[in-house]
Amino acid sequence: MSDLYFDDVTVGDDIPGVVKGPMSTAHIMRWSAAMENWHRIHYDWKYATGHDKLPDVMVNGSWKQHVLIQLLVDWAGEGGWLWRMGFQFRGMNVPGETLTAWGRVRGKERRGDYGVVNLAIGLKNEKGVESTPGTARVVLPCRGGPAVPYPFDAACLGPRVSE
Amino acid sequence: MSESYITPAVRAVIGASNGPLLACHPVEASEVRRFYQAVMDPAPRYWDERWAKSSRYGGLVAPPAFPTHAFRRGPTEADPLDRMEEPDFDGNTRSFRGLPPVEVPLTRLLNGGYEYEFFRYARIGEPIYRSSSYLDIYQRAGRSGPMVFVVVADTYTGEAGARLIETVTTTILR
């Protein structure tokens, strides 16, 4: 994994996506069992469609979040840090879908010795339908600058530097 | 105007807090393995001891948001499967994080979304603590009727009170 530096990031860049699927009921069951999640909409088709009026059993939102985290942590590399992220579960995902986590650089700012990159993120199915739109902030080192501290503390970020 | 589910009793629990509560066991290598295998994210920081030792983590760690799943059912807690015969029981209690229950007679529950701030990854063997509070509970009109949004803030810490992750979670009752 090559190191990523703030200097090498350009606004408008698409970061490498992470693809999962096609998702099956077994994928959903594996996650639910691993996390001891007993919410019926993930494994009880009759309950999901009858009681909750859903189209099928649901891919867990709690699972989808980790795919978005994987996307950002992979991109930041071992020298960067996924600092903040937020996203909403706006759409449902069901078995049979192939899901792609995506990210696009929306802005960047130098903060003292470090750089902060703002991204739009989301999770689309094979038809391009978005289910999980959100945003993220990733801290990256600058070429010739110090390593991003670990554990991370936002107090290390200096005031914004105009470029 | 539809019925308001934000009764004085519901409003009264906004701001309620608890913690720090200790997860019933420290982070286990096997649960981390099942986690990253289910996410299909086999990064070496989760399993390659030699790699991890020479990394910035100093040893194996759990995935970034793992602490949010660390609070499993303890040996003396009620078994949720005992209630599966109840027609409206969906497998979840409405007592979020052990906070006072949100007494809203809406039986369908969806995950609305998360906000995260990350500080450090939990280490294998590390105890996890959680402090929680209801930030807000409010109602909105949805396409299929009223929806109640339950917003919970959590702070997860590890050894010596070190911050791991702070979260804001929105759960939708409808």
Side-chain angles (χ1 to χ4, degrees):
Chain A
M1 197 182 293
S2 60
D3 292 332
L4 180 67
Y5 291 95
F6 177 70
D7 318 61
D8 303 330
V9 175
T10 303
V11 174
D13 282 352
D14 287 318
I15 71 174
V18 170
V19 181
K20 306 285 185 184
M23 297 299 291
S24 67
T25 52
H27 289 96
I28 298 171
M29 184 271 287
R30 180 166 64 181
W31 172 253
S32 295
M35 293 304 106
E36 299 171 29
N37 178 335
W38 308 119
H39 196 181
R40 276 184 153 141
I41 64 171
H42 302 304
Y43 57 85
D44 185 336
W45 184 87
K46 196 172 167 187
Y47 189 92
T49 58
H51 185 280
D52 273 23
K53 315 292 182 203
L54 298 167
D56 201 335
V57 292
M58 294 287 106
V59 176
N60 311 61
S62 63
W63 178 87
K64 293 193 282 187
Q65 65 171 328
H66 299 296
V67 180
L68 292 175
I69 290 170
Q70 180 187 358
L71 166 87
L72 293 159
V73 169
D74 282 358
W75 181 68
E78 294 300 335
W81 186 249
L82 169 58
W83 172 29
R84 288 177 175 275
M85 67 187 303
F87 45 90
Q88 295 181 322
F89 297 115
R90 292 286 186 89
M92 299 170 183
N93 296 110
V94 296
E97 293 185 33
T98 297
L99 304 175
T100 301
W102 62 270
R104 179 169 290 167
V105 176
R106 291 295 193 199
K108 53 182 289 195
E109 57 186 34
R110 181 79 188 251
R111 294 279 301 271
D113 289 334
Y114 308 102
V116 176
V117 180
N118 299 314
L119 299 108
I121 57 172
L123 197 66
K124 289 184 177 174
N125 69 9
E126 70 285 354
K127 294 175 184 160
V129 178
E130 177 62 57
S131 69
T132 318
T135 59
R137 308 193 82 190
V138 171
V139 181
L140 294 176
C142 299
R143 283 194 186 279
V148 174
Y150 179 85
F152 181 74
D153 185 339
C156 75
L157 300 175
R160 184 173 178 171
V161 178
S162 315
E163 298 192 38
Chain B
M1 181 69 188
S2 61
E3 179 181 358
S4 174
Y5 291 100
I6 311 301
T7 62
V10 170
R11 201 170 287 118
V13 303
I14 298 172
S17 62
N18 66 15
L21 305 177
L22 176 63
C24 65
H25 56 74
V27 179
E28 295 175 341
S30 173
E31 61 178 353
V32 167
R33 176 186 55 77
R34 282 177 282 140
F35 184 116
Y36 73 71
Q37 286 182 338
V39 177
M40 297 171 276
D41 176 16
R45 69 184 82 88
Y46 309 136
W47 59 270
D48 188 336
E49 186 93 47
R50 206 162 70 169
W51 182 95
K53 268 199 173 139
S54 62
S55 74
R56 61 179 169 178
Y57 314 110
L60 293 175
V61 292
F66 177 89
T68 65
H69 303 283
F71 285 76
R72 301 172 184 280
R73 182 167 68 94
T76 59
E77 290 178 57
D79 185 349
L81 304 196
D82 287 345
R83 296 182 55 194
M84 286 300 187
E85 296 304 314
E86 297 175 26
D88 283 333
F89 183 64
D90 64 3
N92 295 298
T93 72
R94 297 297 186 264
S95 176
F96 299 88
R97 317 286 196 280
L99 292 166
V102 177
E103 302 285 3
V104 169
L106 294 171
T107 60
R108 292 179 284 176
L109 178 147
L110 286 175
N111 192 338
Y114 299 92
E115 291 172 39
Y116 285 145
E117 181 171 5
F118 298 98
F119 303 98
R120 173 165 78 68
Y121 301 158
R123 291 187 283 260
I124 305 297
E126 185 165 21
I128 305 284
Y129 297 85
R130 181 183 65 200
S131 299
S132 306
S133 64
Y134 287 120
L135 275 190
D136 201 2
I137 303 172
Y138 59 93
Q139 183 171 333
R140 292 279 184 274
R143 272 175 298 187
S144 59
M147 303 191 296
V148 170
F149 292 72
V150 181
V151 186
V152 177
D154 298 299
T155 298
Y156 295 89
T157 53
E159 276 165 346
R163 286 185 303 178
L164 300 173
I165 175 172
E166 290 182 356
T167 76
V168 175
T169 305
T170 301
T171 302
I172 302 169
L173 306 175
R174 62 191 185 97

